[in-house]
Amino acid sequence: MNTGLPEHLQRAWTLLHRAPIAMAETNGQGKIRQLNPKAVQLMMPMVAHLGLPGDNLLDTLAGFLPSARQAIAGFEGNSGLILEQEPYRLRFRIDSVLIERQFSLTIEKINDDSLLIFFEDVTDLLLKADALRYRL
Amino acid sequence: MSTTSTFSDPNLLDWLEQQTDEQLEEAPFGVVRMNRDGVVIAYGKSESHITGISQEYARGKYYFTQIAPCANNRMVAAKYALPSLDEELDYILTYVCEPIKVRLRLLKSPQSQYQYFLVDRKAFSE
């Protein structure tokens, strides 16, 4: 599977590798320390659209949701949830095709030098929920 | 292996098509050979060093859903729906959870038996 990892970390790697939610740990300014493949999958089209180098997740997310950076700057606790499942809409182009998606964003402060960032593309979930309501 | 080609060689697809699976696995840059359904046929040693995923684990699996979900988006995986593809782009892969900056080259042609996902880490190593 993943070479060089002890067995218990192999199992953790499988969870992180296949998780359907984007997860990342950054420093206090948003510089990425670690992230899972889903985070790369969702982040890279935003990075390309904004013309960023891709090493700062806050710069990328704030390009679409400027209030995220303000929420972090205004958070006064030493640790805790800064944003919880905050909805936001992304509009960007890939090869001149307009993409519009609905995202959900959670940011937790671990300490002054560590943020956990979770984000998810909930577009399909919202469409399924609408279809379910329509059937009812 | 016949004379080794380079990552940005304009005739790289022709060279790749002439290599056996075993020869591709020794290529000096990351090479993933997939069939037209996206199933991994050959997974290069260089690719394995970049991602940490073993060649044995990768072979026979769907590349964009089981091995590299990080590239399963419109920027990369969706491009393979095109009949012909030769594109280079900057991207990020993960070694466990560590971000690794790479240069990708996506290759296929209507005549080619396979499609290819190529990775060059050296372009970002300095």
Side-chain angles (χ1 to χ4, degrees):
Chain A
M1 196 177 290
N2 202 295
T3 52
L5 293 178
E7 192 180 336
H8 68 288
L9 290 181
Q10 291 271 3
R11 291 196 292 271
W13 173 81
T14 304
L15 270 178
L16 292 166
H17 189 72
R18 304 295 290 278
I21 296 173
M23 300 180 258
E25 190 227 340
T26 73
N27 71 7
Q29 286 70 49
K31 185 173 170 54
I32 298 168
R33 290 196 178 116
Q34 48 180 347
L35 78 175
N36 70 340
K38 190 70 179 182
V40 178
Q41 179 197 111
L42 296 182
M43 180 185 80
M44 286 310 289
M46 296 190 258
V47 165
H49 177 79
L50 295 168
L52 296 172
D55 44 16
N56 190 305
L57 185 53
L58 277 186
D59 286 348
T60 305
L61 295 172
F64 295 91
L65 187 70
S67 61
R69 193 176 287 286
Q70 294 157 11
I72 293 167
F75 187 78
E76 294 181 348
N78 292 324
S79 63
L81 272 175
I82 299 172
L83 292 176
E84 186 172 14
Q85 296 188 314
E86 184 78 9
Y88 67 106
R89 185 164 57 184
L90 289 91
R91 282 195 182 129
F92 55 93
R93 289 185 182 276
I94 299 178
D95 298 334
S96 75
V97 177
L98 180 64
I99 310 290
E100 186 169 321
R101 309 294 291 178
Q102 300 282 336
F103 271 46
S104 166
L105 174 65
T106 296
I107 300 177
E108 181 173 357
K109 181 177 178 178
I110 300 301
N111 56 47
D112 286 341
D113 191 40
S114 179
L115 297 170
L116 298 184
I117 301 178
F118 304 89
F119 54 110
E120 189 176 4
D121 184 337
V122 294
T123 314
D124 294 340
L125 173 70
L126 294 173
L127 289 173
K128 287 174 185 173
D130 280 349
L132 193 62
R133 268 198 298 271
Y134 185 73
R135 279 207 297 271
L136 294 173
Chain B
M1 191 184 296
S2 60
T3 308
T4 305
S5 191
T6 57
F7 185 80
S8 294
D9 185 336
N11 299 315
L12 183 58
L13 183 57
D14 294 336
W15 180 83
L16 291 167
E17 289 281 283
Q18 291 165 13
Q19 308 304 306
T20 65
D21 294 344
E22 292 73 24
Q23 287 171 327
L24 275 190
E25 288 177 350
E26 301 295 330
F29 45 81
V31 177
V32 181
R33 169 182 274 171
M34 294 170 265
N35 68 16
R36 292 301 189 119
D37 294 325
V39 174
V40 176
I41 306 297
Y43 193 81
K45 280 183 183 169
S46 294
E47 180 73 7
S48 182
H49 286 312
I50 293 168
T51 64
I53 295 174
S54 70
Q55 295 170 291
E56 296 74 19
Y57 181 78
R59 284 190 212 108
K61 293 194 169 63
Y62 286 97
Y63 184 63
F64 290 113
T65 55
Q66 295 179 285
I67 303 302
C70 59
N72 191 16
N73 58 22
R74 288 174 183 267
M75 281 181 77
V76 183
K79 297 278 177 70
Y80 286 91
L82 298 168
S84 183
L85 176 62
D86 185 353
E87 182 175 330
E88 281 194 32
L89 69 158
D90 296 335
Y91 209 76
I92 291 173
L93 299 180
T94 55
Y95 179 86
V96 189
C97 283
E98 179 188 348
I100 308 291
K101 286 192 171 184
V102 294
R103 183 85 176 157
L104 298 183
R105 187 169 177 190
L106 320 177
L107 273 177
K108 72 180 278 196
S109 82
Q111 292 76 37
S112 57
Q113 184 181 357
Y114 303 109
Q115 53 193 25
Y116 297 89
F117 178 93
L118 310 174
V119 181
D120 188 9
R121 187 177 181 178
K122 292 174 188 168
F124 283 90
S125 62
E126 294 176 3

